[in-house]
Amino acid sequence: MKPAPFKYFRPESLDEALALLAKHGDEAKVLAGGQSLIPAMNFRLAQPAILIDINRLSALSFIEEKRGQMHIGALTRHSMVERHPLVAQKAPLLAETMPNIAHVQIRNRGTFGGSIAHADPAAELPAAMTVRGARICLRSTRGERWVDAPQFFVGLLTTAMEPDELLTEVAFDELPKKTGWCFVEVARRHGDYALLGVAATVRLGMMGKVKDARICFVSAGETPALATNAQDALNGQAPSAELAKAAAQIAAAQDIDPPSDIHASARFRRHLATKLTERALNTAFARARGETR
Amino acid sequence: MHDETKVQITVSVNGETYTRLIEPRLLLSDFLRHELKLTGTNVGCEHGVCGACTVLLDGESVRSCIIFAVQVDGQSIETVEGLAKNDTLHPLQELFHQEHALQCGFCTPGFLMTLVPFLRDNPTADEAAIRQALSGNLCRCTGYANIVAAVKKAVESGVGR
C-alpha cells in the first residue's frame, strides 16, 4: 500500500471533531477533500499518525449571504461553489476563479476550506480570498476566532491555525457596486497548477477614478500577498490602458518575488505577471464601468 | 508501530452491495481492483494527474486513487464495468469503438467515467466544452482527436439526454 499506516477517525459532529483535535491535534491531519493531502501521502511526503475525516460534517457545507457578506462553509466542494447562482451573482471574481482550480474530478471532491487551509501559493483560492479581504473562521474547544486573510497565510503551506483548530467557514464582502473584477492565469495544461495567476478587483469612485484597487498573485511568492505598490499607483487615478500597463510593471517589479523551478524561471514569471496584470486591470476597468460582464 | 485496526465498510458498486474489512489507508482504486477484483478501473499516476482511475462517487466523477476506500462507506460507486448491460455496450463505448477513440485502452475507463456525467449535465456541449471536460484525462497513444470526435457524435446522437 502506498500511504503509511494511520489511525482513522470519522467524527459525526463538529463537537466530536473539535474534541478529537484537542486531544490529537499535534499528530493529526484533518482530511477534507484530500486532493492535496492524499497525493502527498501516496508519495509518503506526508505521514500523519492520525487522520480526522470531516466529510460527515455536512453542516460545514453551505453557501449563504448574510447582510452583504458571503459565507462559504469549509466542506463545500469546489464544484458546488462553481455552479452556485449566489456566487455568480454576488461574488463574480470567485465565480471566474473556480473553473481554474484543477480538473472537474478534483473540483467534485476538493473543498473550499481545504484549499484555504492547505495554503499552497500555487492555489487559486488563497489569492482570490486575499483580494476580497476574506475572514477565516477557526474553531476549537477553546472557542471561535476570525482571522483576516493576510494574517492567516503565514508562509509556504503555513497558516496561523493552531494544531487544535478547525477551519469552519470563510466570509467576505459581496462585490460592491461599480467594482470590476478579473481572474486570469497561465498553465501548461488547463487545470494544472498555474505558472502564474492574477486576481484583481477595481472599485471606481467619484468622477470615475480608481477608489480601491486590489491585486494578488498565484505562484509568485510564498504567500498570496497584496501588490501594495501597484495598488498605490492605481488608487486616485483615472482608469486607462496606460495606467493598467504602468501598474502592471510596478507589480511585477516591486510587489512579487517569484520562484524559479522546473516549470518556469523567475524571469518568465515576472513577464507573465506584467502581461496578466495589465490584462486583468483592463478587464476590471471595463467591468467596473459596466461595459462588459 | 502505529495503532491500527481494520474498519468494516459497506459500499454499493455498480448496484451491488459489498461489505469488506479493510485498512484505512487502502485507496479506493486499490479497493476496487484488489478487494472487489474489478480491474476495469486502471491506476496510472496515483497522485491525481492522469485521470485513468476516474470513477463515479454518488454520480459525480472523482479520482479513485486520491480517495480512501474507508471514506466511501455507505456511498455508491460506479465503475466502467457498470456501463455495458449484458453484452450491449453503453452508447458512448460503442462510439469510442466506431471512432477509433482508443488504441491500448489503458486510459479509456477514465475517459468514459469522466464523460458519462459530463454528457448527462451538458447534453449539447460544443467542442470547446468537450475539450475542457477532457483536460483532466491523459491519453498517450491514440491522441485526443478521435476521442473528441466520439464525444461529438455522442452529443449529436443524444447520449446524454
Side-chain angles (χ1 to χ4, degrees):
Chain A
M1 268 179 254
K2 273 67 73 173
F6 55 84
K7 197 167 178 182
Y8 177 77
F9 291 103
R10 187 168 62 206
E12 299 287 340
S13 70
L14 181 59
D15 285 345
E16 195 186 335
L18 297 181
L20 284 165
L21 275 169
K23 192 174 175 197
H24 302 292
D26 286 331
E27 48 179 355
K29 285 288 276 181
V30 171
L31 175 59
Q35 302 297 282
S36 296
L37 177 58
I38 300 178
M41 291 178 69
N42 284 353
F43 283 121
R44 300 209 176 188
L45 293 169
Q47 300 188 17
I50 294 171
L51 282 189
I52 300 173
D53 181 354
I54 60 166
N55 281 278
R56 299 293 160 114
L57 306 186
S58 52
L60 295 185
S61 174
F62 59 85
I63 298 173
E64 294 167 1
E65 189 210 359
K66 283 185 251 173
R67 293 186 295 279
Q69 288 248 309
M70 294 290 296
H71 291 256
I72 301 185
L75 198 65
T76 312
R77 310 280 171 194
H78 294 316
S79 53
M80 181 172 158
V81 180
E82 183 181 0
R83 293 174 197 159
H84 205 282
L86 205 53
V87 174
Q89 192 191 345
K90 305 285 184 183
L93 175 73
L94 187 58
E96 187 158 86
T97 303
M98 297 312 293
N100 291 281
I101 300 173
H103 307 285
V104 64
Q105 299 95 333
I106 286 175
R107 294 200 294 278
N108 281 338
R109 187 68 182 165
T111 66
F112 199 82
S115 180
I116 305 273
H118 187 50
D120 188 333
E124 289 82 1
L125 287 180
M129 287 295 93
T130 299
V131 158
R132 294 304 308 130
R135 298 179 307 130
I136 292 143
C137 183
L138 305 176
R139 293 278 300 268
S140 69
T141 53
R142 298 175 288 124
E144 172 187 303
R145 66 182 177 125
W146 289 82
V147 182
D148 292 338
Q151 281 76 52
F152 180 79
F153 298 110
V154 173
L156 186 71
L157 306 178
T158 308
T159 71
M161 284 171 76
E162 297 295 333
D164 66 337
E165 286 181 317
L166 183 69
L167 195 165
T168 53
E169 70 176 277
V170 178
F172 54 97
D173 293 341
E174 66 178 68
L175 205 70
K177 286 195 170 59
K178 290 194 348 187
T179 303
W181 69 94
C182 186
F183 184 93
V184 59
E185 70 174 34
V186 167
R188 287 272 179 220
R189 174 177 70 138
H190 179 87
D192 284 355
Y193 281 115
L195 299 179
L196 195 109
V198 182
T201 57
V202 177
R203 184 177 185 186
L204 299 181
M206 298 273 282
M207 318 289 283
K209 289 188 175 169
V210 176
K211 189 178 179 188
D212 181 11
R214 299 186 202 171
I215 303 167
C216 191
F217 291 96
V218 177
S219 289
E222 296 205 338
T223 56
L226 288 166
T228 50
N229 290 302
Q231 292 174 182
D232 289 347
L234 287 159
N235 288 331
Q237 305 296 313
S240 68
E242 293 72 32
L243 181 67
K245 189 169 189 175
Q249 283 169 348
I250 290 170
Q254 299 176 20
D255 285 319
I256 57 173
D257 183 18
S260 279
D261 54 36
I262 57 165
H263 306 293
S265 65
R267 189 160 163 259
F268 182 53
R269 285 201 164 94
R270 280 194 204 279
H271 169 75
L272 289 174
T274 311
K275 296 297 172 189
L276 295 184
T277 304
E278 186 181 347
R279 206 179 294 173
L281 287 172
N282 280 320
T283 301
F285 290 164
R287 284 170 167 166
R289 293 193 207 99
E291 292 165 7
T292 58
R293 207 184 143 87
Chain B
M1 282 297 290
H2 290 273
D3 175 18
E4 190 181 75
T5 47
K6 289 198 172 185
V7 181
Q8 181 173 297
I9 64 166
T10 299
V11 188
S12 161
V13 181
N14 302 327
E16 277 198 50
T17 302
Y18 299 87
T19 298
R20 291 287 188 280
L21 203 58
I22 57 158
E23 278 191 62
R25 61 173 168 155
L26 182 66
L27 299 171
L28 175 57
S29 47
D30 289 338
F31 172 76
L32 294 169
R33 294 177 56 85
H34 301 158
E35 294 288 327
L36 305 189
K37 310 297 180 194
L38 293 171
T39 54
T41 299
N42 286 332
V43 169
C45 70
E46 298 203 290
H47 63 284
V49 172
C50 78
C53 68
T54 302
V55 301
L56 305 192
L57 169 58
D58 289 342
E60 300 296 338
S61 60
V62 294
R63 301 197 188 298
S64 62
C65 76
I66 49 174
I67 293 178
F68 292 114
V70 66
Q71 296 188 271
V72 303
D73 184 22
Q75 290 178 277
S76 157
I77 302 290
E78 288 161 73
T79 69
V80 71
E81 286 92 343
L83 289 185
K85 299 299 174 212
N86 300 318
D87 285 337
T88 309
L89 291 178
H90 183 281
L92 192 59
Q93 289 174 309
E94 186 61 41
L95 286 165
F96 264 56
H97 171 64
Q98 284 173 21
E99 294 297 315
H100 193 74
L102 67 155
Q103 188 170 318
C104 85
F106 188 88
C107 67
T108 311
F111 272 92
L112 293 169
M113 300 318 284
T114 298
L115 286 165
V116 167
F118 171 73
L119 288 169
R120 177 198 66 205
D121 296 341
N122 305 275
T124 58
D126 62 9
E127 180 166 339
I130 292 167
R131 287 182 178 274
Q132 184 141 328
L134 297 178
S135 66
N137 291 76
L138 295 180
C139 169
R140 296 283 89 143
C141 51
T142 317
Y144 303 94
N146 292 354
I147 297 174
V148 172
V151 185
K152 284 167 82 173
K153 282 256 169 85
V155 169
E156 285 164 22
S157 58
V159 167
R161 275 176 255 143

